[in-house]
Amino acid sequence: MASATTFSSMLQFFFIIFCCLGYFSFAFTSQDYANALEKSILFFEGQRSGKLPSSQRLTWRGDSGLSDGSSYHADLAGGYYDAGDNVKFGLPMAFTTTLLAWSVIEFGSSMQNQIENAKAAIRWSTDYLLKAATATPDTLYVQVGDPNLDHQCWERPEDMDTPRNVYKVTMQNPGSDVAAETAAALAAASIVFKDSDSSYSAKLLHTAMKVFDFADRYRGSYSSSLSSAVCPFYCSYSGYQDELLWGASWIHRASQNGSYLAYIQSNGHTMGSDDDDYSFSWDDKRPGTKILLSKEFLEKTTAEFQLYKSHSDNYICSLIPGTSSFQAQYTPGGLFYKASESNLQYVTSTTFLLLTYAKYLGSNGGVARCGGSTVTAESLVAQAKKQVDYILGDNPAKMSYMVGFGNKYPQHVHHRGSSVPSIHAHPDRISCNDGFHYLYSGSPNPNVLVGAILGGPDNRDNFADDRNNYQQSEPSTYINAPFVGALAFFSAKN
């Protein structure tokens, strides 16, 4: 009987050790987060369009889209491909830029040796957005590439021979949503460069104001003006009011010009300030605007901004289990779940807002009020950490959803440039239709798109490492952009 008891105790001991080993294998260190941060920024080099610089680190990429815009006598080379295709979509590119800039604004002091790489990632986009905004008077170029024809090919961007159609919004065919988001991106970036390059910063802010005036003066949705060129790919489902308030809020923060404060106070009620909205994405800016403006109330107790603090609380409380306002959905493994397609874009944007709001609250001794209870900044950080760690591998599949990070990560990424042999390995052209052989191949991608965060698992934590399953296996710039800020925050924690 004694020996049986001893054996049982030994089993319990080894079970505890086994569990602890399993647990601590995912106790990420600040160095792990710093490593992930470096990779999350490096990813943007894989998305570059245009003439690549000598400092390019993802060397399997080459120059592409060098004559973009030439049919319109405009130089539209540069910028980013949004995801796994070869189209430059203006709305998600501008949102990506705003979120990259916001990441640096809030958490740049924690980026250490990655701050210059982060700024380079922002500048690659803002250089393009400046050209798109200033090439032709009263015009904003918002897209290069016909997505319907592009998606009929599987070819690396260096071989691209699909039509490089150029799309624009004008006074007659307005696009307040994409224009106001572009203004937000330029304004946010002007803050990033204010100390290191004051003339560039001033140019960004001046252009942001002009583009915002254009967006506000000639109102309308770019989805209506450009229809099948942007829908269903990046339709502005939420309309353009949210972008106008978002754009004004960023110019207000960047300029401290009283006219933008007056604009926010006069127009907020018709542009979503009274709405509770629970999705922050390239399409819907309302939760982000409320968090951004809540800073004014928390720091300066500006009465007009108390409304934004209250609605920020409502949004944050909806994410925290146990509060009276809780309504978010989580997978059994603990991942925030919003949509079956590219769900991690909502995880990274939500995580960024949790950490940014925690920063604002913590700096001003505030709490989030959830009905009769309160939630501290520390609780928001803990909730954000669960999401970050899940993406990096602390999940039921023990899979890192960041390519190149950890021991196990997806190998079959839905990405043309990554899945087709590079121009260095295969100098001969690979045509539109010949590339589909690589889409359907069971072999791992030959070019590792380091740092790419993919669409991610389903609502049961299941993930198909399948290049054809674009809903789960396609990366995008706007998944990575807010994650840069989150990783910077945790890389600075012991």
Side-chain angles (χ1 to χ4, degrees):
M1 186 70 177
S3 61
T5 303
T6 302
F7 180 72
S8 175
S9 299
M10 288 177 64
L11 275 180
Q12 289 176 344
F13 173 77
F14 284 117
F15 178 75
I16 291 169
I17 292 295
F18 177 80
C19 288
C20 287
L21 285 171
Y23 176 80
F24 284 116
S25 65
F26 286 109
F28 296 112
T29 66
S30 60
Q31 186 55 48
D32 292 327
Y33 295 121
N35 181 23
L37 170 65
E38 180 178 6
K39 290 179 162 76
S40 71
I41 299 169
L42 181 58
F43 157 74
F44 288 94
E45 295 192 12
Q47 299 304 112
R48 284 174 169 172
S49 181
K51 177 74 175 173
L52 301 185
S54 58
S55 58
Q56 173 80 11
R57 294 173 294 166
L58 283 187
T59 54
W60 51 265
R61 279 296 321 280
D63 300 340
S64 63
L66 298 180
S67 59
D68 280 358
S70 58
S71 59
Y72 276 73
H73 307 290
D75 173 12
L76 297 176
Y80 289 119
Y81 304 118
D82 68 304
D85 56 18
N86 300 324
V87 182
K88 297 192 299 203
F89 290 100
L91 182 57
M93 194 195 306
F95 178 69
T96 292
T97 310
T98 310
L99 269 287
L100 268 177
W102 200 3
S103 289
V104 170
I105 290 165
E106 302 299 346
F107 305 113
S109 61
S110 300
M111 290 183 182
Q112 299 178 351
N113 64 345
Q114 290 306 309
I115 186 64
E116 292 306 319
N117 289 327
K119 288 162 76 171
I122 295 166
R123 191 161 189 151
W124 192 268
S125 188
T126 52
D127 282 352
Y128 170 83
L129 294 176
L130 282 171
K131 292 192 289 187
T134 60
T136 306
D138 295 316
T139 299
L140 175 67
Y141 293 102
V142 299
Q143 187 170 311
V144 181
D146 181 329
N148 295 289
L149 295 176
D150 179 271
H151 291 180
Q152 291 175 22
C153 290
W154 194 265
E155 58 187 355
R156 57 197 181 192
E158 295 82 2
D159 286 336
M160 188 164 45
D161 57 359
T162 49
R164 299 301 286 171
N165 296 357
V166 173
Y167 302 90
K168 61 184 179 178
V169 294
T170 62
M171 295 182 288
Q172 294 78 23
N173 294 288
S176 300
D177 28 33
V178 66
E181 181 62 65
T182 301
L186 295 171
S190 77
I191 301 173
V192 170
F193 293 103
K194 190 170 185 177
D195 293 333
S196 59
D197 192 338
S198 58
S199 62
Y200 187 65
S201 172
K203 184 179 182 181
L204 290 169
L205 184 55
H206 174 71
T207 309
M209 290 174 170
K210 289 185 68 174
V211 175
F212 181 80
D213 181 66
F214 171 76
D216 188 46
R217 191 184 301 267
Y218 308 108
R219 293 191 182 186
S221 172
Y222 94 134
S223 301
S224 300
S225 296
L226 298 176
S227 59
S228 62
V230 297
C231 295
F233 313 101
Y234 291 103
C235 252
S236 182
Y237 298 104
S238 68
Y240 60 81
Q241 302 282 4
D242 57 311
E243 275 87 10
L244 285 173
L245 190 60
W246 172 245
S249 301
W250 271 111
I251 299 176
H252 164 63
R253 180 157 174 182
S255 69
Q256 294 301 306
N257 182 318
S259 64
Y260 295 94
L261 175 61
Y263 182 97
I264 294 164
Q265 292 169 341
S266 299
N267 295 282
H269 294 293
T270 59
M271 293 181 172
S273 67
D274 298 326
D275 305 336
D276 277 322
D277 188 76
Y278 302 100
S279 177
F280 181 49
S281 69
W282 57 262
D283 178 38
D284 196 339
K285 314 299 154 52
R286 286 173 290 184
T289 303
K290 292 180 175 104
I291 299 285
L292 182 66
L293 292 177
S294 71
K295 186 174 188 284
E296 289 271 337
F297 177 73
L298 286 163
E299 289 186 350
K300 303 175 185 176
T301 325
T302 309
E304 293 87 350
F305 290 110
Q306 183 170 6
L307 176 69
Y308 296 97
K309 163 68 166 69
S310 298
H311 283 288
S312 294
D313 284 355
N314 293 346
Y315 167 71
I316 292 296
C317 295
S318 76
L319 303 169
I320 307 299
T323 68
S324 58
S325 312
F326 175 64
Q327 59 173 272
Q329 180 182 349
Y330 290 88
T331 68
L335 181 70
F336 176 64
Y337 189 81
K338 195 77 180 178
S340 59
E341 183 175 324
S342 190
N343 180 64
L344 288 187
Q345 68 174 299
Y346 303 103
V347 179
T348 59
S349 65
T350 300
T351 298
F352 179 82
L353 290 186
L354 281 166
L355 292 173
T356 300
Y357 201 48
K359 179 186 173 185
Y360 294 170
L361 292 174
S363 299
N364 298 282
V367 293
R369 302 195 178 280
C370 307
S373 62
T374 58
V375 176
T376 64
E378 291 77 14
S379 297
L380 305 190
V381 170
Q383 189 67 9
K385 187 176 186 297
K386 290 177 185 176
Q387 302 307 302
V388 171
D389 289 356
Y390 185 108
I391 290 173
L392 295 181
D394 188 4
N395 57 60
K398 302 293 184 276
M399 164 83 80
S400 163
Y401 293 107
M402 175 184 282
V403 175
F405 180 86
N407 297 321
K408 180 185 178 185
Y409 53 83
Q411 302 292 316
H412 306 88
V413 181
H414 183 96
H415 189 276
R416 286 159 176 77
S418 174
S419 64
V420 177
S422 76
I423 56 170
H424 309 298
H426 191 294
D428 293 338
R429 188 173 169 276
I430 298 172
S431 69
C432 165
N433 290 322
D434 289 346
F436 282 104
H437 160 71
Y438 300 102
L439 169 63
Y440 301 127
S441 166
S443 301
N445 285 24
N447 311 307
V448 181
L449 188 60
V450 176
I453 304 167
L454 307 191
D458 65 16
N459 62 348
R460 305 298 299 173
D461 301 298
N462 298 313
F463 176 78
D465 187 5
D466 176 0
R467 203 175 290 114
N468 274 304
N469 185 346
Y470 70 89
Q471 295 93 333
Q472 292 192 320
S473 66
E474 187 169 18
S476 72
T477 57
Y478 46 87
I479 299 179
N480 270 60
F483 207 57
V484 169
L487 290 170
F489 174 85
F490 286 113
S491 72
K493 296 293 177 186
N494 292 324

PDB file of all heavy atoms in Angstrom, residues 386-400:
ATOM      1  N   LYS A 386      -2.434  38.443 -22.846  1.00  0.00           N
ATOM      2  CA  LYS A 386      -2.978  37.140 -23.257  1.00  0.00           C
ATOM      3  C   LYS A 386      -3.090  37.054 -24.773  1.00  0.00           C
ATOM      4  O   LYS A 386      -2.812  36.015 -25.383  1.00  0.00           O
ATOM      5  CB  LYS A 386      -4.353  36.922 -22.625  1.00  0.00           C
ATOM      6  CG  LYS A 386      -4.339  36.702 -21.124  1.00  0.00           C
ATOM      7  CD  LYS A 386      -5.762  36.578 -20.592  1.00  0.00           C
ATOM      8  CE  LYS A 386      -5.792  36.483 -19.077  1.00  0.00           C
ATOM      9  NZ  LYS A 386      -7.184  36.456 -18.547  1.00  0.00           N
ATOM     10  N   GLN A 387      -3.506  38.157 -25.394  1.00  0.00           N
ATOM     11  CA  GLN A 387      -3.670  38.160 -26.849  1.00  0.00           C
ATOM     12  C   GLN A 387      -2.321  38.128 -27.556  1.00  0.00           C
ATOM     13  O   GLN A 387      -2.127  37.399 -28.526  1.00  0.00           O
ATOM     14  CB  GLN A 387      -4.478  39.392 -27.277  1.00  0.00           C
ATOM     15  CG  GLN A 387      -5.854  39.502 -26.633  1.00  0.00           C
ATOM     16  CD  GLN A 387      -6.686  38.247 -26.801  1.00  0.00           C
ATOM     17  OE1 GLN A 387      -6.953  37.808 -27.921  1.00  0.00           O
ATOM     18  NE2 GLN A 387      -7.095  37.652 -25.685  1.00  0.00           N
ATOM     19  N   VAL A 388      -1.385  38.911 -27.071  1.00  0.00           N
ATOM     20  CA  VAL A 388      -0.042  38.937 -27.666  1.00  0.00           C
ATOM     21  C   VAL A 388       0.602  37.559 -27.557  1.00  0.00           C
ATOM     22  O   VAL A 388       1.151  37.022 -28.528  1.00  0.00           O
ATOM     23  CB  VAL A 388       0.836  40.003 -26.985  1.00  0.00           C
ATOM     24  CG1 VAL A 388       2.294  39.885 -27.429  1.00  0.00           C
ATOM     25  CG2 VAL A 388       0.303  41.404 -27.292  1.00  0.00           C
ATOM     26  N   ASP A 389       0.515  36.965 -26.374  1.00  0.00           N
ATOM     27  CA  ASP A 389       1.151  35.665 -26.152  1.00  0.00           C
ATOM     28  C   ASP A 389       0.487  34.572 -26.982  1.00  0.00           C
ATOM     29  O   ASP A 389       1.163  33.653 -27.472  1.00  0.00           O
ATOM     30  CB  ASP A 389       1.112  35.306 -24.662  1.00  0.00           C
ATOM     31  CG  ASP A 389       2.058  36.158 -23.827  1.00  0.00           C
ATOM     32  OD1 ASP A 389       2.788  36.977 -24.417  1.00  0.00           O
ATOM     33  OD2 ASP A 389       2.064  36.006 -22.587  1.00  0.00           O
ATOM     34  N   TYR A 390      -0.826  34.673 -27.137  1.00  0.00           N
ATOM     35  CA  TYR A 390      -1.523  33.687 -27.980  1.00  0.00           C
ATOM     36  C   TYR A 390      -0.963  33.750 -29.398  1.00  0.00           C
ATOM     37  O   TYR A 390      -0.637  32.712 -29.999  1.00  0.00           O
ATOM     38  CB  TYR A 390      -3.032  33.984 -27.987  1.00  0.00           C
ATOM     39  CG  TYR A 390      -3.871  32.955 -28.722  1.00  0.00           C
ATOM     40  CD1 TYR A 390      -4.700  32.068 -28.032  1.00  0.00           C
ATOM     41  CD2 TYR A 390      -3.838  32.860 -30.121  1.00  0.00           C
ATOM     42  CE1 TYR A 390      -5.462  31.124 -28.705  1.00  0.00           C
ATOM     43  CE2 TYR A 390      -4.599  31.915 -30.803  1.00  0.00           C
ATOM     44  CZ  TYR A 390      -5.413  31.054 -30.084  1.00  0.00           C
ATOM     45  OH  TYR A 390      -6.171  30.121 -30.754  1.00  0.00           O
ATOM     46  N   ILE A 391      -0.837  34.938 -29.954  1.00  0.00           N
ATOM     47  CA  ILE A 391      -0.342  35.085 -31.325  1.00  0.00           C
ATOM     48  C   ILE A 391       1.078  34.540 -31.446  1.00  0.00           C
ATOM     49  O   ILE A 391       1.431  33.908 -32.455  1.00  0.00           O
ATOM     50  CB  ILE A 391      -0.399  36.567 -31.754  1.00  0.00           C
ATOM     51  CG1 ILE A 391      -1.857  37.007 -31.933  1.00  0.00           C
ATOM     52  CG2 ILE A 391       0.389  36.802 -33.050  1.00  0.00           C
ATOM     53  CD1 ILE A 391      -2.041  38.487 -32.200  1.00  0.00           C
ATOM     54  N   LEU A 392       1.881  34.717 -30.415  1.00  0.00           N
ATOM     55  CA  LEU A 392       3.280  34.293 -30.469  1.00  0.00           C
ATOM     56  C   LEU A 392       3.478  32.806 -30.165  1.00  0.00           C
ATOM     57  O   LEU A 392       4.602  32.316 -30.246  1.00  0.00           O
ATOM     58  CB  LEU A 392       4.120  35.139 -29.518  1.00  0.00           C
ATOM     59  CG  LEU A 392       4.220  36.629 -29.865  1.00  0.00           C
ATOM     60  CD1 LEU A 392       5.107  37.349 -28.858  1.00  0.00           C
ATOM     61  CD2 LEU A 392       4.733  36.853 -31.280  1.00  0.00           C
ATOM     62  N   GLY A 393       2.410  32.096 -29.800  1.00  0.00           N
ATOM     63  CA  GLY A 393       2.540  30.649 -29.629  1.00  0.00           C
ATOM     64  C   GLY A 393       1.930  30.051 -28.393  1.00  0.00           C
ATOM     65  O   GLY A 393       1.882  28.825 -28.252  1.00  0.00           O
ATOM     66  N   ASP A 394       1.482  30.870 -27.448  1.00  0.00           N
ATOM     67  CA  ASP A 394       0.862  30.338 -26.231  1.00  0.00           C
ATOM     68  C   ASP A 394      -0.617  30.097 -26.509  1.00  0.00           C
ATOM     69  O   ASP A 394      -1.488  30.860 -26.097  1.00  0.00           O
ATOM     70  CB  ASP A 394       1.046  31.323 -25.072  1.00  0.00           C
ATOM     71  CG  ASP A 394       0.596  30.731 -23.739  1.00  0.00           C
ATOM     72  OD1 ASP A 394       0.213  29.537 -23.719  1.00  0.00           O
ATOM     73  OD2 ASP A 394       0.618  31.457 -22.732  1.00  0.00           O
ATOM     74  N   ASN A 395      -0.882  29.022 -27.240  1.00  0.00           N
ATOM     75  CA  ASN A 395      -2.240  28.692 -27.681  1.00  0.00           C
ATOM     76  C   ASN A 395      -2.378  27.183 -27.799  1.00  0.00           C
ATOM     77  O   ASN A 395      -1.380  26.461 -27.722  1.00  0.00           O
ATOM     78  CB  ASN A 395      -2.536  29.392 -29.016  1.00  0.00           C
ATOM     79  CG  ASN A 395      -1.524  29.036 -30.095  1.00  0.00           C
ATOM     80  OD1 ASN A 395      -1.357  27.890 -30.461  1.00  0.00           O
ATOM     81  ND2 ASN A 395      -0.828  30.057 -30.615  1.00  0.00           N
ATOM     82  N   PRO A 396      -3.599  26.680 -27.955  1.00  0.00           N
ATOM     83  CA  PRO A 396      -3.781  25.227 -27.977  1.00  0.00           C
ATOM     84  C   PRO A 396      -2.974  24.509 -29.049  1.00  0.00           C
ATOM     85  O   PRO A 396      -2.560  23.367 -28.856  1.00  0.00           O
ATOM     86  CB  PRO A 396      -5.288  25.074 -28.224  1.00  0.00           C
ATOM     87  CG  PRO A 396      -5.889  26.307 -27.630  1.00  0.00           C
ATOM     88  CD  PRO A 396      -4.891  27.389 -27.916  1.00  0.00           C
ATOM     89  N   ALA A 397      -2.727  25.165 -30.188  1.00  0.00           N
ATOM     90  CA  ALA A 397      -1.966  24.534 -31.272  1.00  0.00           C
ATOM     91  C   ALA A 397      -0.470  24.648 -31.061  1.00  0.00           C
ATOM     92  O   ALA A 397       0.306  24.040 -31.810  1.00  0.00           O
ATOM     93  CB  ALA A 397      -2.357  25.157 -32.609  1.00  0.00           C
ATOM     94  N   LYS A 398      -0.037  25.433 -30.049  1.00  0.00           N
ATOM     95  CA  LYS A 398       1.381  25.708 -29.818  1.00  0.00           C
ATOM     96  C   LYS A 398       2.042  26.224 -31.105  1.00  0.00           C
ATOM     97  O   LYS A 398       3.193  25.915 -31.416  1.00  0.00           O
ATOM     98  CB  LYS A 398       2.110  24.458 -29.301  1.00  0.00           C
ATOM     99  CG  LYS A 398       1.513  23.918 -27.999  1.00  0.00           C
ATOM    100  CD  LYS A 398       1.737  24.887 -26.851  1.00  0.00           C
ATOM    101  CE  LYS A 398       1.230  24.330 -25.519  1.00  0.00           C
ATOM    102  NZ  LYS A 398      -0.220  24.544 -25.317  1.00  0.00           N
ATOM    103  N   MET A 399       1.272  27.020 -31.841  1.00  0.00           N
ATOM    104  CA  MET A 399       1.687  27.561 -33.138  1.00  0.00           C
ATOM    105  C   MET A 399       1.863  29.068 -33.029  1.00  0.00           C
ATOM    106  O   MET A 399       0.970  29.773 -32.546  1.00  0.00           O
ATOM    107  CB  MET A 399       0.607  27.232 -34.184  1.00  0.00           C
ATOM    108  CG  MET A 399       0.669  28.032 -35.480  1.00  0.00           C
ATOM    109  SD  MET A 399       1.830  27.365 -36.670  1.00  0.00           S
ATOM    110  CE  MET A 399       0.855  26.011 -37.365  1.00  0.00           C
ATOM    111  N   SER A 400       3.014  29.560 -33.452  1.00  0.00           N
ATOM    112  CA  SER A 400       3.191  31.002 -33.577  1.00  0.00           C
ATOM    113  C   SER A 400       2.537  31.443 -34.874  1.00  0.00           C
ATOM    114  O   SER A 400       2.780  30.860 -35.933  1.00  0.00           O
ATOM    115  CB  SER A 400       4.675  31.367 -33.613  1.00  0.00           C
ATOM    116  OG  SER A 400       4.857  32.672 -34.105  1.00  0.00           O
TER     117      SER A 400
END
